[in-house]
Structure formats: C-alpha cells, structure tokens
Amino acid sequence: MLGNFSYHNPTKLYFGEDALGYLNEELPKYGKTVQLIYGGGSIKRNGLYDEIVAILKENGKTIVEDAGVMPNPTAEKLREGVKLAKENKVDFLLAVGGGSCCDYAKAVSVSVHCDDDPWDKYYIRFEEPTCEIVPVGCVLTMAGTGSEMNGGAVITNHEQKLKIGHVFGDDVMPKFSILNPKYTMTLPKRQMVAGVYDIFNHICEQYFSGEDDNTSDYLAEALMKSVVHSSLIAVENPEDYEARSNIMWSATWALNTLISRGKSTDWMVHMLGQAVGAITDATHGMTLAAVSLPYYRFIMPYGLKKFARFATEVWGINPAGKSEEELANEGLEALKNWMQTIGVAMNLSELGVTEDMIEAIADATILLDGGYKKLDRDDVVAVLKASL
Ligand code: NZQ
Ligand code: ZN
C-alpha cells in the first residue's frame, strides 16, 4: 500500500429483508419535516411508498413530497428541489430509489441553506459546501451506483450539454442507507444489468491504475468475481435472493472508497460515459458498457501487466504458454462474452449515438490522468468512433 491515506466512512448500513424496520431507529434522530424524494413511480407500484409513508407518520413526521426525480437528475429539477426544501424548512431528506434519487438528495442537501445557484457552485466552480447541510438518508431500490455509501452526486445540465459528478465529503454522505435486496426485484431486466455493469466498471476504474502490489487490487478482484458470478445467476433467475443480495452488497463496496485506497484510479470510462449521457440521456450503466471495450483496448498496451492479471485472476484464464499480450487480449474477450451474456449495450449506436454527435461528446468529456494512459482529445474521438 503506497502513499499516505485516511479511511473513514460515516454511513450506517442496514442490510437484508428486515432492514426497513430500522427507519424507526433512525428517524427520531432528525427533525420533524422530511422531504420524501422519489422517482417516476416505481415505489408506488411496488408498495414501498405506502410502507414508508406509514413509518414516517408513525414517527410523527410532516412529509414534503418531492416526486419525479428522473434518471440522470437535471439541474432544473435540483433547483426545484432546493426551492421546495427552503419553502418548507425541511429537516431531513429521505431518498427512496436508485442512484439518481440518492445523488439528487445529496445535491439538495448542500444547497438548501445556500443562496448560490447549485449547478454553478458545485458543478462549474466545484466549490465545497459553505452552508449548513441538511442530513440525508437513503432507501435503495436499485443496485449499481454506490451512492448509498458515498459522497457522489451526479447532475445533468441539458442546456449546457454537461453531466458532471461532484464527490462531496463525509458530512454529505448519507447518514444511513437501507438495503433490502428484495426491493431490487421489481427492476426491469435492462436496469438490473445496467446496474451490474456499473458496479463492475466502478471496480475496473480503480483496478486499472498503478503498478504496485496493493491489497485494494485483491479486494477488487474478489468483488469482480462475485459480481460476475451473481449476475449470471440473476439474469437467468431475477428472483434469486442470494444473487441479488450479493449484487447489492458488492455495489456498495465497489464505490464506497475502500478499494481506491492507495490507488491513483482511472475513471475515464465514466468520463466518456457521462459525456454520452450528457448528449443522449442514456442509461448510465449502458453508456459505460458501450465505450468500455474500445477504451480498454486502447489503453491495454500501457497497462499490459494489469490486463494480463485481470485475465488470470478475474476470468480464470490459464496463463500457460501465453505472452502478457495474449493473456490481456483473452481477458478482454472474456469481459466481452460476459457483457454479451448479461445483455448490456455493446456499442454507442444502440444508444442512438450517430457519427455527427461525436464532436459534442468529445467536447463534454473531462480528461483525467490517473489511469495507464492520459487520453487527449484525438484519442477520445478515436475511442468514441471505435465505440459506434
Ligand atoms: O424513477 P423510478 O420510477 O423509481 O424508476 C427508476 C428509474 O427509471 C427505476 N427503478 C429503480 N428502482 C426500481 C426501479 N424500477 C422498478 N423497481 C425498482 N426497484 O430504474 C430507473 C433508473 O434509476 P436510477 O436511479 O436513475 O439508476 P441508477 O441507480 O443507475 O442511478 C443513475 C444515476 O447515478 C449516477 C449516474 O450518473 C446517474 O445519474 N451515478 C452516481 C454515482 C455516485 N453517486 O457515486 C456514481 C455512478 O458512476 C453514477 O455516475
Ligand atoms: Zn457508474
């Protein structure tokens, strides 16, 4: 483990079929007025909304409804949510949904007691919160982003054609998150596999960096194997509780900062995917899947050793008699086969991207330098074209 680092995660997790009951332990710790944040209606259809409203009422809370958080929450919606929270002087934000609701709740939390425009302050000027932060809790209904135990809050601005994440500190992370794998079972299959690929790629983003022998990489390999194993069971039988529970728990540990300790981390698949999302509004996990293989083929020569290790340790490929390059290629081939088996988007055309959109996507792509090769704009265009 090279370098110096600290590790602290303040989010308390309640996991399992009985987890929702712990809302009764958590809610009394916070004030009376709760902004209940949810999406387009899945929680009304599966009954979770009624259960949560009943618990809030039992705990004497006043509910401020904040419905309609869309996938890839927008700056406009964020401004509305902040206005609602200000007007009602809310004490607590309870997000019930996937990463979009959790992210949005965090973005609202740092903006309620602030006069600045939240998009400008946190997503353009990248400032840290300077005002009182309203506490957030999450009831997660989709496994993928890790938002339930991290400080990330990704917001999309369609006007500016930008989708940007701000990773806030400990004081913005959810105070608690309730993770009941059963809630994820009403997800449409496409959303489930998009989430699975999101998890897998979060691990890759941290794994494909650095040359040292690092415990984080061993943890990453174990998580990747669990995700692959459980996803193959879950696509065959979405009702398999064991598989769905493993996917949910892996999602949390894939992006709660544990496996990034001692790593520089890459995150370029996410930068490309977010740029695709900014232009197309496509499902997050699918945008990552569509650009991954061309990106990894592009950087493979610069991180050959790690790609060879990925092949043997994650995919169980026998290294006997093979060069590092052959192994690395077989590893990416195994990744491709798994992606096809679970049914994620294999190219950008499937997401409605056409060649004339490439320049705008490249414009929206933020270039990072933590991975094996820093891309320049021409490289980005080349990877995007190869992803079409
Ligand atoms: O809105 P509803 O009706 O609830 O439907 C949602 C939505 O349409 C549906 N859904 C969720 N749980 C369901 C369900 N449908 C049926 N049954 C359930 N149990 O699924 C759809 C997608 O939900 P969403 O929350 O958008 O998905 P996800 O969890 O993938 O979140 C995506 C957002 O998170 C950001 C993404 O960029 C995107 O904006 N990310 C956040 C990160 C973080 N905080 O660290 C990191 C990630 O890399 C990612 O960027
Ligand atoms: Zn992601």
Side-chain angles (χ1 to χ4, degrees), residues 71-365:
N72 311 320
T74 62
E76 290 79 14
K77 177 69 186 166
L78 170 58
R79 291 182 188 115
E80 284 171 29
V82 172
K83 190 164 171 266
L84 192 67
K86 276 186 205 274
E87 282 168 3
N88 292 282
K89 297 188 172 47
V90 303
D91 302 304
F92 190 69
L93 301 163
L94 185 64
V96 186
S100 293
C101 289
C102 299
D103 279 20
Y104 166 88
K106 289 178 237 175
V108 171
S109 81
V110 292
S111 310
V112 180
H113 296 286
C114 231
D115 293 330
D116 306 45
D117 179 72
W119 171 260
D120 291 344
K121 182 176 171 69
Y122 297 116
Y123 297 90
I124 297 297
R125 301 200 301 273
F126 264 89
E127 289 174 22
E128 290 313 314
T130 45
C131 48
E132 188 191 328
I133 296 162
V134 180
V136 171
C138 296
V139 179
L140 194 66
T141 64
M142 166 160 175
T145 65
S147 188
E148 65 276 14
M149 204 187 192
N150 70 35
V154 183
I155 297 294
T156 299
N157 188 319
H158 289 299
E159 225 170 75
Q160 296 180 11
K161 296 196 183 332
L162 290 172
K163 181 178 184 186
I164 296 179
H166 188 127
V167 181
F168 292 100
D170 284 5
D171 43 2
V172 183
M173 287 163 70
K175 300 295 173 209
F176 64 85
S177 284
I178 287 174
L179 278 59
N180 180 346
K182 282 230 153 141
Y183 298 155
T184 68
M185 288 189 188
T186 53
L187 269 173
K189 201 167 190 175
R190 189 182 147 81
Q191 289 293 345
M192 177 185 80
V193 297
V196 163
Y197 192 75
D198 192 22
I199 304 166
F200 191 85
N201 191 257
H202 292 158
I203 308 169
C204 290
E205 298 278 29
Q206 298 162 90
Y207 183 72
F208 288 119
S209 68
E211 311 280 346
D212 58 316
D213 185 35
N214 187 317
T215 299
S216 291
D217 287 335
Y218 297 88
L219 292 170
E221 285 160 356
L223 285 171
M224 284 192 267
K225 285 199 273 194
S226 176
V227 172
V228 170
H229 176 77
S230 295
S231 66
L232 292 172
I233 296 168
V235 287
E236 284 299 316
N237 179 14
E239 305 276 301
D240 188 309
Y241 180 84
E242 202 170 36
R244 301 302 290 262
S245 65
N246 284 330
I247 291 169
M248 196 170 211
W249 192 236
S250 301
T252 304
W253 289 90
L255 195 51
N256 69 358
T257 77
L258 174 75
I259 63 165
S260 67
R261 295 309 85 183
K263 306 281 303 174
S264 56
T265 74
D266 184 349
W267 293 107
M268 271 315 295
V269 170
H270 270 68
M271 294 306 102
L272 291 159
Q274 278 178 207
V276 171
I279 307 301
T280 63
D281 207 26
T283 300
H284 172 65
M286 294 305 187
T287 64
L288 308 176
V291 299
S292 282
L293 289 165
Y295 174 72
Y296 288 133
R297 286 189 193 111
F298 190 85
I299 63 158
M300 194 185 81
Y302 307 92
L304 205 50
K305 217 176 155 80
K306 184 54 85 53
F307 279 94
R309 175 173 162 173
F310 176 67
T312 57
E313 300 308 310
V314 179
W315 301 103
I317 292 166
N318 181 357
K322 290 171 194 159
S323 68
E324 271 187 345
E325 195 178 349
E326 282 168 334
L327 275 175
N329 276 318
E330 282 189 35
L332 290 187
E333 212 39 43
L335 171 62
K336 180 178 160 190
N337 289 339
W338 170 67
M339 290 167 72
Q340 281 172 332
T341 305
I342 63 169
V344 290
M346 297 306 289
N347 56 59
L348 286 174
S349 310
E350 285 178 48
L351 304 178
V353 175
T354 46
E355 187 138 16
D356 57 314
M357 295 157 97
I358 296 285
E359 289 299 320
I361 297 172
D363 286 343
T365 304

